[in-house]
Amino acid sequence: MGIIVQKFGGSSVADATKIKNVAKRIARTHEEGHSVVVAVSAMGDTTDNLIRLAHEISIDPPERELDMLLSTGEQVSIALLAMAVSELGYQAISLTGTQVGIITNGFYSDARIQSINKARILSELERGRIVILAGFQGVSIDNEITTLGRGASDTTAVAIAATLEANRCDIYTDVEGVYTADPRVVPNARKHNQVTHDEMLEMARLGAKVLHSRCVELAKKFSVHLCVRSSFSEAEGTMVVREDEMIEEVVVSAVTSDKDQAKVSLLGVPDIPGIAARIFQAVADEHISIDMVIQTTNPKGTADLSFTVTEKDLQAAIKIIEGLKGEIGFDSVSPDKNIAQVSLVGIGMKSHVGIAARMFQALADANINIQMISSSEITISCVIDETETERAVRTIHDRFELGGASS
Ligand code: ADP
Ligand code: ASP
Ligand code: MG
């Protein structure tokens, strides 16, 4: 009948009772005649707690040791889940990223998968076992344990599904699918039956953490049948599909928000060619990615320049810019953590005009000031004051009438 990959997130395996329930679901799929490969996250808030613990020991923990520490979270959950499946009378085996041979590029805390050795998984499946893999981790060719970025157990699951040419990859989580907004922020958010890869990619990039963005890229590239559904109910989930597979016609599909953003503002930068290139090259050299950029010129021949980075990169970005002060000669540089990005996503934007104006008007009517704007073919994003995030999301969601009963 083929292979099915199932991924269970941290909230789905948060305690012993939940682990037992997940085991029953896995056993049911096995009973239907499928070969089952499972990718699991660490229990509940384990990863957050381990990060907190590391920072109690060190202000700036060595990245190798941090990855070593964080990878233990998933090792706990796979062992417990394998025990729970065995308790039900089925054969199961847990495997770490190293045991499977999930080979990464060795970039600590944000490693990319380079190859997966499927031999071990296939031989376990042939022996009739349910294979339970640690999500979020891999090993470099130098034998170093690396993690794949926060939320990346989704990516482990899809990468495994692609490698094994699985029939399906089901991502089980604590909501029933992909919604028009985070259902915890917008109570009347509507569940989608389908979203396209490109919409889902943008949603993930712009803060909807229901799927890790790299897993969507992989699903698109390797045509993996990807579905998001609930661990706690039998409701049908959301399929992530190609654009030509879309049955529903939507203009706007979701409102997202991202509070993990910070702004760097430089005042009084010389307004001459080459300055922006120098600044952004210096930041890129430290592997810091910049999202939005805004520049305004002043009459006195200088410019003010602001750009956004993720909060974790803020201090490093400020330090780099301060290091350029002697060379470039700007007046000042300042950080601002109190910002958030709210975004509207929808493939229909390609063919409909006036969407941006409606979004800006909705924010204006709610008296929410827009600090920066950016757009792509299917997105519009605004930087606003962080304290207004939830109100902004609800306001935009209402204005585009995205809410209602489940479709
Ligand atoms: P898991 O631990 O299963 O990986 P995550 O916490 O990473 O789960 O992702 C699920 C969460 O994503 C949901 O609980 C929900 O609050 C949040 N979320 C944000 N935006 C959306 C959205 N548009 N649709 C569904 N869930 C969303
Ligand atoms: N446990 C990891 C994290 O919390 C990976 C995951 O949950 O997908 O980021
Ligand atoms: Mg997740």
Side-chain angles (χ1 to χ4, degrees):
M1 263 192 141
I3 298 171
I4 291 192
V5 176
Q6 302 185 323
K7 179 260 171 177
F8 294 91
S11 48
S12 307
V13 291
D15 56 37
T17 310
K18 287 182 176 146
I19 290 176
K20 288 181 190 174
N21 281 334
V22 164
K24 284 185 197 146
R25 199 177 274 267
I26 295 169
R28 210 167 65 210
T29 312
H30 179 83
E31 277 296 332
E32 286 164 7
H34 305 282
S35 295
V36 188
V37 179
V38 182
V40 194
S41 298
M43 293 171 70
D45 296 330
T46 301
T47 309
D48 289 333
N49 294 338
L50 290 172
I51 292 173
R52 204 169 305 122
L53 188 59
H55 284 97
E56 280 175 27
I57 304 277
S58 163
I59 300 172
D60 189 15
E63 49 185 10
R64 177 188 187 278
E65 304 311 331
L66 196 56
D67 271 13
M68 184 68 95
L69 179 71
L70 296 193
S71 67
T72 63
E74 273 68 15
Q75 199 164 330
V76 171
S77 53
I78 55 170
L80 292 172
L81 186 55
M83 288 176 204
V85 173
S86 303
E87 278 296 309
L88 297 176
Y90 300 89
Q91 287 190 61
I93 182 165
S94 64
L95 296 170
T96 63
T98 307
Q99 287 175 305
V100 175
I102 297 182
I103 308 298
T104 69
N105 62 0
F107 202 99
Y108 294 114
S109 84
D110 197 21
R112 303 288 160 118
I113 298 175
Q114 291 190 323
S115 63
I116 297 176
N117 177 3
K118 59 185 175 184
R120 176 79 192 263
I121 303 175
L122 290 176
S123 83
E124 298 296 352
L125 290 177
E126 270 160 31
R127 296 170 72 181
R129 289 178 165 172
I130 292 166
V131 180
I132 300 179
L133 307 177
F136 177 57
Q137 58 177 259
V139 64
S140 71
I141 43 168
D142 302 323
N143 230 9
E144 293 294 318
I145 291 178
T146 46
T147 63
L148 308 175
R150 295 303 310 270
S153 294
D154 300 335
T155 297
T156 305
V158 176
I160 294 283
T163 304
L164 299 175
E165 296 179 33
N167 292 356
R168 240 175 40 221
C169 180
D170 291 335
I171 306 284
Y172 286 90
T173 184
D174 58 357
V175 288
E176 291 188 349
V178 178
Y179 285 69
T180 49
D182 186 339
R184 295 177 206 290
V185 174
V186 182
N188 73 336
R190 193 170 49 83
K191 189 181 84 191
H192 287 291
N193 293 327
Q194 301 176 305
V195 286
T196 64
H197 293 110
D198 290 343
E199 286 169 305
M200 194 60 239
L201 259 176
E202 291 292 24
M203 286 170 68
R205 182 178 70 83
L206 297 168
K209 65 173 185 162
V210 62
L211 282 182
H212 190 241
S213 65
R214 230 174 298 135
C215 93
V216 188
E217 277 169 24
L218 290 178
K220 183 178 180 189
K221 187 167 169 192
F222 295 103
S223 304
V224 174
H225 288 275
L226 180 62
C227 180
V228 180
R229 53 191 313 184
S230 169
S231 293
F232 305 107
S233 82
E234 297 302 319
E236 272 191 32
T238 303
M239 289 296 303
V240 184
V241 297
R242 291 196 316 265
E243 210 169 317
D244 62 293
E245 292 172 318
M246 275 297 277
I247 296 165
E248 297 162 22
E249 279 229 355
V250 288
V251 177
V252 168
S253 48
V255 185
T256 65
S257 64
D258 185 1
K259 289 184 178 178
D260 181 29
Q261 295 284 318
K263 186 168 68 173
V264 177
S265 300
L266 281 98
L267 301 182
V269 182
D271 192 13
I272 52 172
I275 295 290
R278 179 73 192 96
I279 292 170
F280 291 125
Q281 188 58 53
V283 175
D285 286 345
E286 296 302 315
H287 300 284
I288 294 175
S289 55
I290 285 173
D291 191 5
M292 287 194 201
V293 181
I294 202 163
Q295 179 172 317
T296 47
T297 41
N298 303 322
K300 53 180 183 170
T302 60
D304 297 336
L305 185 69
S306 297
F307 61 87
T308 59
V309 292
T310 59
E311 281 195 9
K312 82 170 170 30
D313 288 334
L314 179 62
Q315 282 319 316
I318 294 284
K319 219 168 134 189
I320 294 163
I321 305 293
E322 278 169 349
L324 293 174
K325 189 157 190 193
E327 181 187 333
I328 293 176
F330 51 84
D331 291 342
S332 67
V333 57
S334 57
D336 182 1
K337 273 192 176 182
N338 187 29
I339 61 153
Q341 193 178 8
V342 288
S343 308
L344 197 58
V345 179
I347 38 170
M349 284 185 207
K350 288 183 197 174
S351 48
H352 286 71
V353 293
I355 307 285
R358 267 173 86 190
M359 176 176 176
F360 302 156
Q361 191 59 53
L363 291 173
D365 293 346
N367 204 21
I368 296 172
N369 191 38
I370 301 171
Q371 301 178 23
M372 297 167 104
I373 298 168
S374 75
S375 65
S376 74
E377 201 180 22
I378 63 165
T379 67
I380 306 158
S381 300
C382 298
V383 166
I384 58 164
D385 190 293
E386 189 176 89
T387 55
E388 300 284 18
T389 312
E390 284 76 17
R391 201 163 69 85
V393 169
R394 286 192 279 265
T395 299
I396 299 166
H397 195 267
D398 277 353
R399 182 62 57 100
F400 285 89
E401 297 175 351
L402 297 177
S406 274
S407 65

